[in-house]
Amino acid sequence: MENNFRMVAKTFFGFEEILAKELLTLGAQDIVKGTRVVSFKGDKGFMYKANIALRTALKILKPIHSFRATNDDALYRGVYALDWSQFLSSGSTFVIDATVHSDHFRHSQFVAQKAKDAIVDQFRKNTGMRPSIDKDHPDLRINLHIDRENVTVSLDTSGASLHHRGYRTATNIAPINEVLAAGMLLLSGWNGQGDFLDPMCGSGTILAEAAMIACNVPANINRKEFAFEKWNDWDNDLFDLITESLLKRVREFHYTITGYDKAPSAVMKAKDNIKNANLEDYVTISERNFFDTQKETRGPLHMLFNPPYGERLDIEMERFYREIGDTLKNSYPGTDAWFITANLEALKYVGLRPSRKIKLFNGSLEARLVEFEMYEGSKRGKFQG
């Protein structure tokens, strides 16, 4: 059996716990939670599996070298000390992404440049030739992380961020990130055991992620490529075997997943994206204004949505959020309603008391994922019954 090695999954603030649960369910070992990261151990096959299946990971990194550095020379020497011929040839292309949290190093671009020089100089000395930089489609993507004086060099196993699922070709203004959508669904307790509604569905991201969770479809099954496919030790047969084993776990879904949007253009885009994800058998989308609708299913309903925000709502914010509250209260009994908002001021206009508030970030905006439990009949009746 191939030796296990440590990997690091990057995620959004607030998703560390659910990412750790995902990793445990997949079979990861020695899971350690950090801030916006979860580290774990697995073999090469598990590295493939993590990239294909994890819903709340943005990237999977494979650390290969660490050292201490407090100045440019030490950084250069530390990177140079690794035998780069294990991962690259002089005819290969590479790129370095650097993140820096240090008083000794201030500029990530300068750090990346210094590390690049060390790698290129090593090849030039040993072979007389050098690999070149390709920012768009490199053979190897290297991640350099500096925390104070601790430098970690990792291989980026994923390539483009794992929120690029491969199904979303049509988007509206400011579409929600797929990993954010999946994380919100998992935080809200969505597991596919009931009916689901996104009443402001935009281009359909939350609907697609909800359907994939409900049917246990691997998150990145529609993705075109991962960075590890260009590595020297790429094993196509093993990758196919892992993919096949994940697809055997796909399950049937016996409830409804519905999306509304009042904009015809959004409805068209959402339908296209759901079709791209091969989920059209499970998701129904129609052109409707949420404020004119009522609950159409029997039994509990799980609702999650991302209300539009920004300049076009500035004047009507108070009315808009009041209408959300009124519609939930008057038309959606027996509903567990969740939505995310970066407009923390607006929450008071909903006129309902949230049962939960979870701090998240939507891009750079601090946001809250809030839950409103709409009971059948009165709340008091629920506890007396």
Side-chain angles (χ1 to χ4, degrees):
M1 183 177 146
E2 188 178 339
N3 289 336
N4 285 354
F5 50 87
R6 185 152 290 285
M7 289 171 264
V8 175
K10 294 174 75 172
T11 190
F12 288 127
F13 174 89
F15 288 176
E16 298 89 353
E17 183 70 41
I18 48 175
L19 176 54
K21 277 187 194 165
E22 280 198 272
L23 281 160
L24 188 64
T25 304
L26 271 188
Q29 296 176 352
D30 195 11
I31 298 164
V32 181
K33 286 176 290 189
T35 303
R36 293 187 172 89
V37 293
V38 180
S39 75
F40 60 97
K41 282 185 176 174
D43 60 11
K44 182 161 72 175
F46 192 82
M47 180 181 79
Y48 294 170
K49 187 196 274 191
N51 273 282
I52 302 164
L54 288 175
R55 302 184 192 284
T56 55
L58 291 162
K59 268 188 189 292
I60 313 291
L61 302 176
K62 179 185 179 182
I64 53 170
H65 186 44
S66 58
F67 58 92
R68 290 161 74 89
T70 55
N71 58 50
D72 307 343
D73 287 342
L75 175 65
Y76 178 94
R77 287 196 308 274
V79 175
Y80 194 99
L82 186 64
D83 176 10
W84 285 99
S85 67
Q86 301 171 76
F87 312 106
L88 281 164
S89 69
S90 52
S92 303
T93 59
F94 72 101
V95 71
I96 299 174
D97 301 314
T99 51
V100 178
H101 305 284
S102 171
D103 292 334
H104 307 292
F105 303 95
R106 295 297 171 91
H107 301 292
S108 56
Q109 277 182 308
F110 177 78
V111 163
Q113 181 69 33
K114 205 73 186 166
K116 184 214 80 170
D117 290 345
I119 296 170
V120 165
D121 290 350
Q122 185 187 100
F123 273 97
R124 212 182 259 129
K125 179 171 180 280
N126 295 338
T127 69
M129 297 168 69
R130 53 153 289 180
S132 52
I133 296 293
D134 181 343
K135 290 181 179 175
D136 298 321
H137 300 288
D139 297 319
L140 191 71
R141 190 173 278 275
I142 299 160
N143 184 279
L144 196 71
H145 182 81
I146 303 182
D147 179 19
R148 294 177 290 257
E149 64 241 27
N150 302 310
V151 184
T152 305
V153 182
S154 303
L155 303 184
D156 182 343
T157 78
S158 308
S161 167
L162 291 174
H163 80 273
H164 293 292
R165 305 281 205 228
Y167 64 76
R168 196 167 76 180
T169 54
T171 61
N172 287 348
I173 303 161
I176 198 159
N177 178 294
E178 292 88 334
V179 166
L180 180 58
M184 292 194 309
L185 285 158
L186 293 171
L187 280 175
S188 77
W190 170 247
N191 59 8
Q193 301 304 300
D195 296 310
F196 181 86
L197 173 66
D198 177 350
M200 300 181 187
C201 71
S203 54
T205 306
I206 290 173
L207 295 171
E209 297 296 324
M212 287 198 288
I213 291 169
C215 302
N216 205 30
V217 173
N220 287 302
I221 199 68
N222 296 298
R223 190 177 159 107
K224 298 291 182 283
E225 63 174 8
F226 299 95
F228 54 66
E229 292 177 48
K230 292 185 174 181
W231 290 9
N232 297 336
D233 67 349
W234 161 240
D235 188 334
N236 196 67
D237 292 341
L238 177 61
F239 181 81
D240 289 346
L241 195 69
I242 296 289
T243 304
E244 207 174 298
S245 73
L246 287 167
L247 287 174
K248 280 181 183 163
R249 299 182 195 175
V250 171
R251 60 182 176 232
E252 278 303 307
F253 174 67
H254 302 291
Y255 298 92
T256 62
I257 295 176
T258 306
Y260 300 152
D261 203 284
K262 67 176 190 177
S265 60
V267 170
M268 277 174 57
K269 287 170 186 173
K271 285 181 175 177
D272 284 348
N273 291 332
I274 294 300
K275 191 174 179 183
N276 291 339
N278 300 306
L279 296 168
E280 63 265 51
D281 289 351
Y282 306 103
V283 181
T284 306
I285 302 164
S286 54
E287 185 188 324
R288 299 182 73 178
N289 183 341
F290 172 50
F291 302 145
D292 300 330
T293 66
Q294 58 187 29
K295 185 181 173 199
E296 295 183 347
T297 52
R298 297 180 66 180
L301 176 66
H302 197 102
M303 181 190 291
L304 189 143
F305 59 108
N306 174 33
Y309 60 90
E311 290 169 11
R312 59 209 163 111
L313 279 182
D314 277 354
I315 305 162
E316 299 178 329
M317 178 194 73
E318 189 175 329
R319 183 167 70 87
F320 182 78
Y321 278 86
R322 187 170 285 127
E323 281 193 88
I324 288 177
D326 289 347
T327 306
L328 290 175
K329 192 163 46 189
N330 299 325
S331 305
Y332 281 88
T335 298
D336 191 17
W338 295 75
F339 67 83
I340 187 172
T341 182
N343 193 332
L344 308 185
E345 182 69 17
L347 278 177
K348 66 176 74 157
Y349 299 121
V350 175
L352 301 166
R353 187 186 292 276
S355 46
R356 282 181 75 193
K357 280 187 191 177
I358 301 170
K359 180 180 171 181
L360 298 175
F361 286 87
N362 189 353
S364 60
L365 298 171
E366 185 179 322
R368 294 290 182 277
L369 177 64
V370 290
E371 177 189 25
F372 297 97
E373 294 176 279
M374 311 311 300
Y375 299 104
E376 295 273 7
S378 72
K379 189 170 182 178
R380 186 182 298 152
K382 175 183 187 285
F383 293 108
Q384 288 176 343

